[in-house]
Every structure is written in structure tokens, then in C-alpha cells.
Amino acid sequence: MTNQTPPALSDDELRETLDMIGTVVASVSDRVDAQTDALDRLNKTTTEARQAAFAAQRQTDPEFYGQIVGEVALKLIERSLADLKGTISDLDRQTRQTITVLKQKDDDRDRDRKTLTERERRIDAFKAKLPWMTFAVGVFAMVMTLTVPRFIAQFPSGCGVLGGTWTETSASSYVCAFFNRS
């Protein structure tokens, strides 16, 4: 092979060639920029798709989903337990109050029973004594009926009240005498 140099280009041809090379370089540069933008968009889309795939994989992961469900259930259970503890505390307080009231009622009932039993015992004792008291009052009334007029008649004013006459006897003693004036 022989070394041949290509014929030299004229200024117009050289200018024209340079313009074409510049146009080609500019066109290639625009295409490279467009491809770079397309590759950037593709890279961004790929990254987003990968993130979405990881998120979807995580969302469909039974262990992760079970953990989320467990946390939600635990929060609901904790809230329910807190409410239940409050209710139990209220019931405990009300139960203690009820026990106190019932104990007081039992104490009052026992006290009332003792009082009633004591009253009934005294009434029964009085009822047992009543016939004797009636007999004693009757005897007392009879004795008083017999003795009071005699006691009142020992005095001149008492004799007058009884409707008798105060007179002197032959033995020089004074007596209340009742005369029949018919």
C-alpha cells in the first residue's frame, strides 16, 4: 500500500466540512443530552419502581403486616384494659360502700332487735306481775275503804265532812257518831 494523502480541500470546502462537522457534533450533543435526560428519567422511574416494589414487598410481608396488626390490636387492648381497670376500680369502691352500708344496716337491725327484745322482756315481766298488782290494788282499795273513813273520823272536821256528829262519850272521849234521823 502506498501512502497517499488526500487532496487538499479548498477553503470553501473546508468551511463547509467544518460546518457539517459542527452540525453533526451539535446534533450528536443534542442526542446525547436527550439520551441523558431519557436515562435520568429511566433511572428515576427505575428507582421509584424499586422503592414501590420494596414497599409493596413490605406491605405484603406477612411478618410485617402481622406486626402492624399486632401493634394496632395491642393499642386497642390497652385502651380496653384501661377502661376495664377504671370500671373495676369504680365497682370496687361501690362494693366497699355497699358493704359499709349493709354492715351499718345489720348493726342497726341488731341494736333494734336487742331494744325490742328488752322491751318485750319488760312487758312480759309486767304482764306476769299484773295479776298480783291488780290483786294488791284491790286489797289496797279495800283496806283504804275501811281505814280512811275511820282515820278521817278521828278529827272533828273530818267527821263533819263524812256527815257525822262529833260528840263526847260517857267515858269522856270524843267520837264521830252517825245518827239515824228518820
Side-chain angles (χ1 to χ4, degrees):
M1 294 204 158
T2 62
N3 235 353
Q4 287 184 343
T5 56
L9 296 173
S10 70
D11 285 340
D12 287 334
E13 289 176 341
L14 188 58
R15 220 182 281 122
E16 206 176 294
T17 303
L18 282 176
D19 281 343
M20 275 203 300
I21 290 175
T23 304
V24 168
V25 167
S27 173
V28 168
S29 175
D30 287 343
R31 285 183 184 174
V32 167
D33 286 345
Q35 287 178 354
T36 302
D37 288 342
L39 285 174
D40 285 345
R41 284 193 310 270
L42 182 62
N43 190 20
K44 184 178 177 185
T45 303
T46 303
T47 303
E48 289 174 355
R50 186 177 297 141
Q51 288 175 347
F54 283 134
Q57 180 184 6
R58 192 166 184 202
Q59 291 293 328
T60 58
D61 181 20
E63 186 176 326
F64 176 73
Y65 189 69
Q67 184 180 1
I68 290 174
V69 168
E71 289 173 2
V72 170
L74 185 61
K75 286 179 184 176
L76 291 173
I77 289 171
E78 285 175 349
R79 242 185 271 142
S80 296
L81 285 176
D83 292 344
L84 189 59
K85 282 181 184 178
T87 303
I88 288 171
S89 175
D90 290 344
L91 286 174
D92 183 48
R93 183 176 34 79
Q94 290 174 357
T95 301
R96 280 186 270 132
Q97 287 176 346
T98 302
I99 288 170
T100 303
V101 167
L102 287 174
K103 182 165 178 19
Q104 181 65 36
K105 184 195 74 68
D106 286 345
D107 292 347
D108 290 347
R109 186 184 63 215
D110 290 345
R111 187 182 64 245
D112 291 344
R113 275 188 189 156
K114 286 178 184 176
T115 303
L116 186 61
T117 302
E118 179 62 26
R119 284 182 184 170
E120 287 176 350
R121 186 192 61 75
R122 284 187 287 185
I123 288 171
D124 289 344
F126 179 76
K127 285 179 182 178
K129 293 178 186 177
L130 190 61
W132 292 104
M133 289 173 58
T134 305
F135 176 72
V137 167
V139 169
F140 179 73
M142 196 179 332
V143 168
M144 291 304 283
T145 303
L146 296 174
T147 59
V148 168
R150 184 173 175 102
F151 175 76
I152 292 174
Q154 290 181 359
F155 303 101
S157 59
C159 184
V161 168
L162 291 176
T165 305
W166 190 256
T167 60
E168 188 173 352
T169 62
S170 59
S172 293
S173 65
Y174 291 95
V175 292
C176 183
F178 296 91
F179 298 105
N180 190 356
R181 299 190 185 168
S182 23

